[in-house]
Structures are given as C-alpha cells and as structure tokens.
Amino acid sequence: MGHNTARQSPRILLVEDDYDIAQLVQLHLQDLNAEVQHCDRGDDALVFAESKFWDILILDLRLPGMSGLDLCRRLREQGNYLPILMLTAKSSELDRVLGLELGADDYVTKPFSPIELVARVKSILRRTSQPPSRTIETDLLSCGSFEINIKNRTVSCDQGELTLTAKEFDLLLYFARHPGQVFRRSELLDKVWGYGHEGYEHTVNSHINRLRAKIEKNPATPSHIITVWGVGYKLDMTTTL
C-alpha cells in the first residue's frame, strides 16, 4: 500500500521491540498530530504494512519475527514504495548502508535525538507528499528512448519494462528531471536520499553502477549516466538505450 495523500494527519507505522524507545518516539511524534500504530515484531509489521495505507514506516533494524532489513526487502520486492525510516545501532555501519541500498529512505542511529527523529520524519513527509496543484502534472516523462511513469514508478524502453529498486528509480528520475546537469555525489545524496550522509558517497557509486547495469548496453563504457571526472555524474539524453 502506498501513502495516502487524502489524509491530513499522517499515518505512521512504528516497528520497535524496545518498549521504552517506542514510547519515547510516540511521545515526540505527537508534535506532528500523527496517527501512530506501534507493533514490536517484523512479521506483524509486514501484515500491517500490506493491509493499510501509511505515510511512513519507522522501522527498527533488529526485530523478532523478521528483521528490519528483510521487511524492507520484502516490501520493495512487492513494489511497495512506502517511505521507510530505519532505526539502527550506532555500531552497525554496514547495516545502515544496506538499509539505504535496499530502498530505505533514511536512517537514524541509536541513541538518537527525538528532535532529530521528528525532523527526519518531517523531511520524508515533505518529499513524499504533493500539493493538489501538482497532482495534475503529467505522470509520464520521456527521456531519450525510455519513458518514466512517475505515478506507477515504472520505467520502460524498447526492450520492455526495467526492474528497478526504489532508490534506483528515484535516482534515474532525478537525473531525468535535470538532463545534462552535472551533480556531485554529495548533491545526489542530499536530493535523492534527503540528507548529505557524510562519508556515504560510495552508496551513490553502488547505485550508479547497478543502474548502469540495467540501462546501459555496455555498463563498462556507459553512454547515458556519464562520469564527469573530478565532479560527479550527469545524464546524457542524446543517445538511445
């Protein structure tokens, strides 16, 4: 299920097995006038996520029943693009990166500042909600020889529909909306992920490489997502897929 733009109060699914942390998060989310549903198991959270509309999923990494990473992976594989904010232990650097690469929208490390958590939630809600005046914007974006369906979050070309992860789609869409413009990795982290995850530029590299593997005829010598040495990346629309 996607997020429901018709609701004024955001609906938040909080998945955290530490009762004290869950209570703390719920307390601070009251500032958003949000409807919060809490559960403490990953398998229960999957049922909740699939059966109702949510504006954001706040997801602990380590859970009984099903891990946060497995839950994130299952949702994205099913085409569920519900925004996900991961809660992770400070020592689990690899898990943080994996969470983002699996399609999580952001992460907060424990112990976290409740004020920072609410700020991250607000940022995700701003990025994923569209004012009514923008909903009449065309759902299709043509870019070279491929077509992006913004509403359905699909990409097709002459060879058929491409299978992209949530973040691969977001990255391609951002490039397509700014054809020919060169972006530094830090800019892409800020614009696509929402924060300048310092030290995580390699996350951009890995997404670029996987995206190239799916859209380039020869990923080793890309003709669409071009590396501008010493600066960053750009999308070249002058060639066809």
PDB file of all heavy atoms in Angstrom, residues 78-96:
ATOM      1  N   GLN A  78       7.854  -6.289  -3.525  1.00  0.00           N
ATOM      2  CA  GLN A  78       6.435  -6.325  -3.861  1.00  0.00           C
ATOM      3  C   GLN A  78       5.980  -5.037  -4.543  1.00  0.00           C
ATOM      4  O   GLN A  78       4.805  -4.894  -4.872  1.00  0.00           O
ATOM      5  CB  GLN A  78       5.605  -6.539  -2.586  1.00  0.00           C
ATOM      6  CG  GLN A  78       5.805  -7.890  -1.930  1.00  0.00           C
ATOM      7  CD  GLN A  78       5.161  -7.961  -0.551  1.00  0.00           C
ATOM      8  OE1 GLN A  78       4.460  -7.047  -0.142  1.00  0.00           O
ATOM      9  NE2 GLN A  78       5.423  -9.041   0.164  1.00  0.00           N
ATOM     10  N   GLY A  79       6.923  -4.087  -4.740  1.00  0.00           N
ATOM     11  CA  GLY A  79       6.560  -2.828  -5.366  1.00  0.00           C
ATOM     12  C   GLY A  79       5.908  -1.855  -4.405  1.00  0.00           C
ATOM     13  O   GLY A  79       5.223  -0.919  -4.820  1.00  0.00           O
ATOM     14  N   ASN A  80       6.076  -2.080  -3.108  1.00  0.00           N
ATOM     15  CA  ASN A  80       5.522  -1.179  -2.096  1.00  0.00           C
ATOM     16  C   ASN A  80       6.557  -0.093  -1.809  1.00  0.00           C
ATOM     17  O   ASN A  80       7.633  -0.367  -1.289  1.00  0.00           O
ATOM     18  CB  ASN A  80       5.198  -1.964  -0.816  1.00  0.00           C
ATOM     19  CG  ASN A  80       4.433  -1.122   0.194  1.00  0.00           C
ATOM     20  OD1 ASN A  80       4.677   0.066   0.349  1.00  0.00           O
ATOM     21  ND2 ASN A  80       3.514  -1.759   0.898  1.00  0.00           N
ATOM     22  N   TYR A  81       6.236   1.157  -2.156  1.00  0.00           N
ATOM     23  CA  TYR A  81       7.193   2.248  -2.015  1.00  0.00           C
ATOM     24  C   TYR A  81       6.889   3.130  -0.807  1.00  0.00           C
ATOM     25  O   TYR A  81       7.209   4.311  -0.786  1.00  0.00           O
ATOM     26  CB  TYR A  81       7.214   3.078  -3.304  1.00  0.00           C
ATOM     27  CG  TYR A  81       7.615   2.246  -4.488  1.00  0.00           C
ATOM     28  CD1 TYR A  81       6.681   1.902  -5.468  1.00  0.00           C
ATOM     29  CD2 TYR A  81       8.910   1.757  -4.610  1.00  0.00           C
ATOM     30  CE1 TYR A  81       7.035   1.114  -6.547  1.00  0.00           C
ATOM     31  CE2 TYR A  81       9.270   0.959  -5.684  1.00  0.00           C
ATOM     32  CZ  TYR A  81       8.337   0.646  -6.645  1.00  0.00           C
ATOM     33  OH  TYR A  81       8.701  -0.134  -7.704  1.00  0.00           O
ATOM     34  N   LEU A  82       6.258   2.536   0.200  1.00  0.00           N
ATOM     35  CA  LEU A  82       6.026   3.210   1.458  1.00  0.00           C
ATOM     36  C   LEU A  82       7.350   3.781   1.988  1.00  0.00           C
ATOM     37  O   LEU A  82       8.336   3.068   2.096  1.00  0.00           O
ATOM     38  CB  LEU A  82       5.462   2.196   2.461  1.00  0.00           C
ATOM     39  CG  LEU A  82       5.450   2.546   3.942  1.00  0.00           C
ATOM     40  CD1 LEU A  82       4.498   3.709   4.206  1.00  0.00           C
ATOM     41  CD2 LEU A  82       5.043   1.320   4.743  1.00  0.00           C
ATOM     42  N   PRO A  83       7.403   5.086   2.305  1.00  0.00           N
ATOM     43  CA  PRO A  83       8.656   5.664   2.832  1.00  0.00           C
ATOM     44  C   PRO A  83       9.078   4.980   4.125  1.00  0.00           C
ATOM     45  O   PRO A  83       8.252   4.746   5.018  1.00  0.00           O
ATOM     46  CB  PRO A  83       8.288   7.131   3.070  1.00  0.00           C
ATOM     47  CG  PRO A  83       7.161   7.400   2.141  1.00  0.00           C
ATOM     48  CD  PRO A  83       6.375   6.120   2.088  1.00  0.00           C
ATOM     49  N   ILE A  84      10.368   4.648   4.219  1.00  0.00           N
ATOM     50  CA  ILE A  84      10.892   3.913   5.370  1.00  0.00           C
ATOM     51  C   ILE A  84      12.036   4.682   6.019  1.00  0.00           C
ATOM     52  O   ILE A  84      13.000   5.072   5.353  1.00  0.00           O
ATOM     53  CB  ILE A  84      11.385   2.513   4.957  1.00  0.00           C
ATOM     54  CG1 ILE A  84      10.215   1.670   4.432  1.00  0.00           C
ATOM     55  CG2 ILE A  84      12.060   1.808   6.136  1.00  0.00           C
ATOM     56  CD1 ILE A  84      10.624   0.317   3.891  1.00  0.00           C
ATOM     57  N   LEU A  85      11.917   4.901   7.333  1.00  0.00           N
ATOM     58  CA  LEU A  85      12.988   5.487   8.141  1.00  0.00           C
ATOM     59  C   LEU A  85      13.518   4.397   9.048  1.00  0.00           C
ATOM     60  O   LEU A  85      12.789   3.880   9.893  1.00  0.00           O
ATOM     61  CB  LEU A  85      12.457   6.663   8.963  1.00  0.00           C
ATOM     62  CG  LEU A  85      13.411   7.283   9.984  1.00  0.00           C
ATOM     63  CD1 LEU A  85      14.621   7.907   9.304  1.00  0.00           C
ATOM     64  CD2 LEU A  85      12.700   8.329  10.835  1.00  0.00           C
ATOM     65  N   MET A  86      14.782   4.016   8.868  1.00  0.00           N
ATOM     66  CA  MET A  86      15.376   2.938   9.650  1.00  0.00           C
ATOM     67  C   MET A  86      15.961   3.456  10.960  1.00  0.00           C
ATOM     68  O   MET A  86      16.583   4.509  10.987  1.00  0.00           O
ATOM     69  CB  MET A  86      16.501   2.262   8.851  1.00  0.00           C
ATOM     70  CG  MET A  86      16.004   1.310   7.796  1.00  0.00           C
ATOM     71  SD  MET A  86      16.414  -0.371   8.274  1.00  0.00           S
ATOM     72  CE  MET A  86      15.815  -1.271   6.846  1.00  0.00           C
ATOM     73  N   LEU A  87      15.766   2.682  12.031  1.00  0.00           N
ATOM     74  CA  LEU A  87      16.418   2.928  13.308  1.00  0.00           C
ATOM     75  C   LEU A  87      17.509   1.875  13.471  1.00  0.00           C
ATOM     76  O   LEU A  87      17.223   0.683  13.426  1.00  0.00           O
ATOM     77  CB  LEU A  87      15.420   2.820  14.465  1.00  0.00           C
ATOM     78  CG  LEU A  87      14.171   3.698  14.384  1.00  0.00           C
ATOM     79  CD1 LEU A  87      13.269   3.437  15.598  1.00  0.00           C
ATOM     80  CD2 LEU A  87      14.542   5.170  14.311  1.00  0.00           C
ATOM     81  N   THR A  88      18.757   2.295  13.609  1.00  0.00           N
ATOM     82  CA  THR A  88      19.863   1.334  13.652  1.00  0.00           C
ATOM     83  C   THR A  88      20.781   1.589  14.833  1.00  0.00           C
ATOM     84  O   THR A  88      20.832   2.696  15.363  1.00  0.00           O
ATOM     85  CB  THR A  88      20.717   1.399  12.366  1.00  0.00           C
ATOM     86  OG1 THR A  88      21.604   2.517  12.455  1.00  0.00           O
ATOM     87  CG2 THR A  88      19.854   1.549  11.134  1.00  0.00           C
ATOM     88  N   ALA A  89      21.495   0.540  15.241  1.00  0.00           N
ATOM     89  CA  ALA A  89      22.508   0.671  16.274  1.00  0.00           C
ATOM     90  C   ALA A  89      23.715   1.392  15.691  1.00  0.00           C
ATOM     91  O   ALA A  89      24.043   1.241  14.523  1.00  0.00           O
ATOM     92  CB  ALA A  89      22.910  -0.706  16.800  1.00  0.00           C
ATOM     93  N   LYS A  90      24.384   2.192  16.515  1.00  0.00           N
ATOM     94  CA  LYS A  90      25.472   3.035  16.021  1.00  0.00           C
ATOM     95  C   LYS A  90      26.620   2.223  15.438  1.00  0.00           C
ATOM     96  O   LYS A  90      27.311   2.659  14.524  1.00  0.00           O
ATOM     97  CB  LYS A  90      25.996   3.921  17.148  1.00  0.00           C
ATOM     98  CG  LYS A  90      26.716   5.159  16.667  1.00  0.00           C
ATOM     99  CD  LYS A  90      26.775   6.220  17.753  1.00  0.00           C
ATOM    100  CE  LYS A  90      27.196   7.553  17.173  1.00  0.00           C
ATOM    101  NZ  LYS A  90      27.095   8.649  18.148  1.00  0.00           N
ATOM    102  N   SER A  91      26.822   0.999  15.964  1.00  0.00           N
ATOM    103  CA  SER A  91      27.969   0.205  15.524  1.00  0.00           C
ATOM    104  C   SER A  91      27.725  -0.493  14.188  1.00  0.00           C
ATOM    105  O   SER A  91      28.656  -1.002  13.578  1.00  0.00           O
ATOM    106  CB  SER A  91      28.302  -0.847  16.587  1.00  0.00           C
ATOM    107  OG  SER A  91      27.188  -1.701  16.784  1.00  0.00           O
ATOM    108  N   SER A  92      26.473  -0.499  13.728  1.00  0.00           N
ATOM    109  CA  SER A  92      26.160  -1.317  12.545  1.00  0.00           C
ATOM    110  C   SER A  92      26.241  -0.490  11.262  1.00  0.00           C
ATOM    111  O   SER A  92      25.257  -0.281  10.591  1.00  0.00           O
ATOM    112  CB  SER A  92      24.775  -1.944  12.696  1.00  0.00           C
ATOM    113  OG  SER A  92      23.811  -0.932  12.915  1.00  0.00           O
ATOM    114  N   GLU A  93      27.439  -0.036  10.935  1.00  0.00           N
ATOM    115  CA  GLU A  93      27.621   0.803   9.750  1.00  0.00           C
ATOM    116  C   GLU A  93      27.189   0.078   8.482  1.00  0.00           C
ATOM    117  O   GLU A  93      26.503   0.644   7.640  1.00  0.00           O
ATOM    118  CB  GLU A  93      29.082   1.236   9.635  1.00  0.00           C
ATOM    119  CG  GLU A  93      29.390   2.048   8.391  1.00  0.00           C
ATOM    120  CD  GLU A  93      30.826   2.543   8.365  1.00  0.00           C
ATOM    121  OE1 GLU A  93      31.293   3.032   9.399  1.00  0.00           O
ATOM    122  OE2 GLU A  93      31.461   2.423   7.321  1.00  0.00           O
ATOM    123  N   LEU A  94      27.581  -1.178   8.341  1.00  0.00           N
ATOM    124  CA  LEU A  94      27.236  -1.930   7.135  1.00  0.00           C
ATOM    125  C   LEU A  94      25.725  -2.045   6.990  1.00  0.00           C
ATOM    126  O   LEU A  94      25.178  -1.890   5.905  1.00  0.00           O
ATOM    127  CB  LEU A  94      27.872  -3.326   7.174  1.00  0.00           C
ATOM    128  CG  LEU A  94      27.527  -4.249   5.997  1.00  0.00           C
ATOM    129  CD1 LEU A  94      28.004  -3.628   4.685  1.00  0.00           C
ATOM    130  CD2 LEU A  94      28.156  -5.615   6.194  1.00  0.00           C
ATOM    131  N   ASP A  95      25.038  -2.306   8.116  1.00  0.00           N
ATOM    132  CA  ASP A  95      23.592  -2.444   8.074  1.00  0.00           C
ATOM    133  C   ASP A  95      22.922  -1.135   7.644  1.00  0.00           C
ATOM    134  O   ASP A  95      21.920  -1.142   6.940  1.00  0.00           O
ATOM    135  CB  ASP A  95      23.054  -2.869   9.441  1.00  0.00           C
ATOM    136  CG  ASP A  95      23.351  -4.323   9.755  1.00  0.00           C
ATOM    137  OD1 ASP A  95      23.633  -5.078   8.818  1.00  0.00           O
ATOM    138  OD2 ASP A  95      23.303  -4.687  10.939  1.00  0.00           O
ATOM    139  N   ARG A  96      23.476  -0.008   8.081  1.00  0.00           N
ATOM    140  CA  ARG A  96      22.912   1.277   7.691  1.00  0.00           C
ATOM    141  C   ARG A  96      22.967   1.429   6.175  1.00  0.00           C
ATOM    142  O   ARG A  96      21.985   1.809   5.541  1.00  0.00           O
ATOM    143  CB  ARG A  96      23.686   2.426   8.350  1.00  0.00           C
ATOM    144  CG  ARG A  96      23.483   2.524   9.849  1.00  0.00           C
ATOM    145  CD  ARG A  96      23.699   3.949  10.312  1.00  0.00           C
ATOM    146  NE  ARG A  96      24.999   4.477   9.950  1.00  0.00           N
ATOM    147  CZ  ARG A  96      26.063   4.452  10.738  1.00  0.00           C
ATOM    148  NH1 ARG A  96      25.992   3.892  11.927  1.00  0.00           N
ATOM    149  NH2 ARG A  96      27.198   4.983  10.350  1.00  0.00           N
TER     150      ARG A  96
END
